[in-house]
Amino acid sequence: MKRKYISIICAAVLFTGILAAAMCIYAAGKKMAGHDPLQPEIAQKILRFHILANSDSEKDQSIKLKVRDEIGNLMQKKLKDSEGLPDTEAVVLEHMDEITETAERILKENGFSYGASAKLAKVDFPEKTYGEYTFPEGEYEALQVTLGEGGGHNWWCVLYPNMCFQGSVYEVVEDEADEKLQEVLTPAEYADVFNSGKIRLRLKFLEYFH
């Protein structure tokens, strides 16, 4: 009788694992086809931070990162007590002029004559990978800072929940940020963001031998 119960439990665990894997593979397959059914739900729960450089020249790309760091420092202080997405959006809107002034100050201090603008906007993003996290392509709300003509390669991160960090560790997502992301997203959405990139690579590997 005891063995029977153990067999039932093992079968249930195995079935749950297979079902979860199938769901992830299904979502990854949708991504490969250019559509992720979970993207609209994910987009409603996060706020991205988006900076467009004036051009792709070395100088314009370099100043883009300096502006990023300065605005990052500013927003880290402003958002330290914010709770939830609506509160984060309200704080960003309240300090939009200061964000623009900060960007323009850094540009001027480094000898750049073009200006900057900042706004909360709906932005179409391609699929973007941040550390181990891959966010599906689609429309997201973002704090968008445009330097000059905004014709150069852009930089991005997730402002809420906070996945933006300083300097060389910008591409490292700390445990606290990972836990917050899990709180904000459903288990299926989190698995889609965290696991889909890895699963997609496995699918491509299997296609090689098909």
Side-chain angles (χ1 to χ4, degrees), residues 34-161:
H35 172 69
D36 188 329
L38 295 179
Q39 188 276 331
E41 286 73 24
I42 294 171
Q44 291 178 14
K45 299 173 181 178
I46 69 172
L47 177 66
R48 298 173 75 159
F49 179 24
H50 187 218
I51 299 185
L52 294 92
N54 179 61
S55 76
D56 283 334
S57 72
E58 185 176 345
K59 289 184 178 181
D60 282 344
Q61 287 295 314
S62 177
I63 194 63
K64 174 189 72 177
L65 300 181
K66 289 183 179 180
V67 171
R68 172 200 70 180
D69 290 345
E70 198 68 18
I71 293 178
N73 282 330
L74 172 67
M75 297 315 296
Q76 185 175 22
K77 297 173 184 176
K78 301 297 184 184
L79 294 171
K80 65 179 181 179
D81 296 322
S82 65
E83 297 182 2
L85 179 57
D87 195 19
T88 300
E89 293 169 333
V91 172
V92 170
L93 286 170
E94 181 183 355
H95 296 91
M96 196 65 74
D97 289 343
E98 189 173 356
I99 292 169
T100 302
E101 290 167 2
T102 298
E104 291 182 334
R105 174 176 58 81
I106 297 302
L107 290 171
K108 186 176 181 180
E109 288 176 354
N110 287 271
F112 292 86
S113 59
Y114 54 76
S117 62
K119 61 182 179 180
L120 272 182
K122 297 291 186 180
V123 181
D124 287 321
F125 283 90
E127 180 181 271
K128 290 282 188 177
T129 297
Y130 179 68
E132 294 184 301
Y133 302 82
T134 299
F135 288 83
E137 68 175 294
E139 186 180 77
Y140 294 83
E141 185 176 41
L143 165 58
Q144 186 176 62
V145 179
T146 302
L147 307 181
E149 297 296 323
H153 277 87
N154 59 79
W155 178 90
W156 78 281
C157 74
V158 176
L159 193 59
Y160 178 82

